[in-house]
Amino acid sequence: MYPSPFRFARANSIDEAEKLFVASNDAKFLSGGMTLIPTMKLRLATPEDVIDLNAIEGLAFVRRNGDTLEIGARTRHADVAQSSETRSALPALAYLASMIGDPSVRHRGTLGGSVANNDPAADYPSAIVALNAQVKTSQREIAGDEFFTGMFETALEEGEIITSAAFQIPSRAGYSKFPNPASRYAVVGVFVADFDGTIRVAVTGAGPRVFRQEEMETALSKNFTPAAVKNINISPEGLNSDLHASAEYRAHLINIMAARAVEAALS
């Protein structure tokens, strides 16, 4: 392994981080580093500059504002899972955060880093979409339905920094995933949210990016029970197929994880 040289800078404000980014030909922001550091070790990423966001104050918090729960971009997964605000307002989100990776990952990885990276098997994107969240950045707010655009691709512009995500609080919600036994990434994960009869179902891990399952949403709006989603026909077309699971198996898992997510919401 031959590491490539790079410059390291620790920004003390969003403004400073953006200026450092503009001054570089090829820069990457560092939050938790759970994706960037491994990819740099493997030389899959060789940025000229690494801009550390961890000294910026005001980006790590969990707070309820009426019918939304806002979480700062630099909030660690473990803190989301353990927060009394999350557990009270959105227990399904607390559970999701508690299931990310291992303890080392949960105590270093951040919500903003995970959302910005948009790994197709990451957990948070399902919550962003199912909970109709607004992703707040240094420049604007982006609706969750419009944020994830492709595999590892988002609506973020060059140099744009996520500052927080504001999740809508449903009347009930549940999350279930079939984890890869080594990485704990979602082979398939399903987040179900009920907003007083308006249902949102988001699937992660199964395809190139998170997506909504509208047929399940319609079925659950009429009958919010596990049985309503168990037998819905899910086409494997367009789903991921790799050494962990075929597209057909992932299609099968969507039904199972959706039913378990509904069970969790009901309990």
Side-chain angles (χ1 to χ4, degrees):
M1 182 170 61
Y2 300 94
S4 300
F6 63 91
R7 293 181 294 269
F8 178 85
R10 178 164 290 156
N12 293 302
S13 68
I14 292 290
D15 184 61
E16 182 183 1
E18 290 181 323
K19 288 178 179 177
L20 288 167
F21 189 93
V22 170
S24 174
N25 291 322
D26 181 21
K28 295 288 186 183
F29 292 121
L30 175 68
S31 185
M34 294 296 95
T35 298
L36 179 60
I37 292 174
T39 55
M40 289 178 67
K41 284 183 175 180
L42 294 171
R43 303 189 76 184
L44 298 174
T46 56
E48 292 182 0
D49 295 271
V50 173
I51 303 167
D52 186 3
L53 305 177
N54 283 280
I56 301 176
E57 295 184 0
L59 294 183
F61 61 85
V62 179
R63 59 180 175 233
R64 181 167 183 169
N65 302 311
D67 60 355
T68 65
L69 185 74
E70 187 173 4
I71 301 177
R74 202 165 53 76
T75 309
R76 312 294 177 188
H77 307 321
D79 294 329
V80 175
Q82 296 165 8
S83 164
S84 59
E85 290 280 15
T86 313
R87 290 183 174 187
S88 173
L90 271 170
L93 184 61
Y95 173 75
L96 177 150
S98 75
M99 295 293 288
I100 296 174
D102 57 27
S104 295
V105 169
R106 291 193 291 274
H107 282 84
R108 285 301 305 169
T110 64
L111 180 145
S114 175
V115 172
N117 184 56
N118 188 22
D119 190 294
D123 296 277
Y124 275 125
S126 67
I128 292 285
V129 172
L131 295 171
N132 200 24
Q134 291 288 317
V135 180
K136 299 183 180 183
T137 78
S138 53
Q139 301 176 23
R140 55 185 169 146
E141 293 187 14
I142 309 171
D145 281 337
E146 300 171 1
F147 185 82
F148 304 103
T149 58
M151 185 177 288
F152 295 105
E153 295 179 350
T154 70
L156 291 171
E157 301 289 346
E158 285 291 313
E160 191 171 6
I161 300 170
I162 296 176
T163 56
S164 68
F167 299 89
Q168 297 295 315
I169 299 173
S171 52
R172 52 189 174 181
Y175 178 67
S176 182
K177 75 171 177 179
F178 187 89
N180 178 296
S183 68
R184 313 305 291 175
Y185 271 107
V187 176
V188 168
V190 179
F191 202 114
V192 175
D194 179 5
F195 293 90
D196 297 322
T198 299
I199 311 298
R200 294 174 69 93
V201 178
V203 181
T204 190
R209 64 180 177 91
V210 63
F211 60 90
R212 288 175 64 182
Q213 221 303 321
E214 295 181 358
E215 193 173 354
M216 288 184 172
E217 292 177 346
T218 300
L220 290 171
S221 67
K222 299 174 183 176
N223 177 27
F224 197 85
T225 66
V229 295
K230 279 184 176 179
N231 296 317
I232 289 177
N233 182 43
I234 305 295
S235 171
E237 185 177 355
L239 299 185
N240 296 334
S241 188
D242 52 34
L243 61 88
H244 304 297
S246 66
E248 290 76 14
Y249 187 55
R250 281 186 163 91
H252 172 67
L253 284 175
I254 290 174
N255 292 99
I256 296 173
M257 295 304 112
R260 291 180 182 177
V262 173
E263 288 176 1
L266 289 170
S267 65

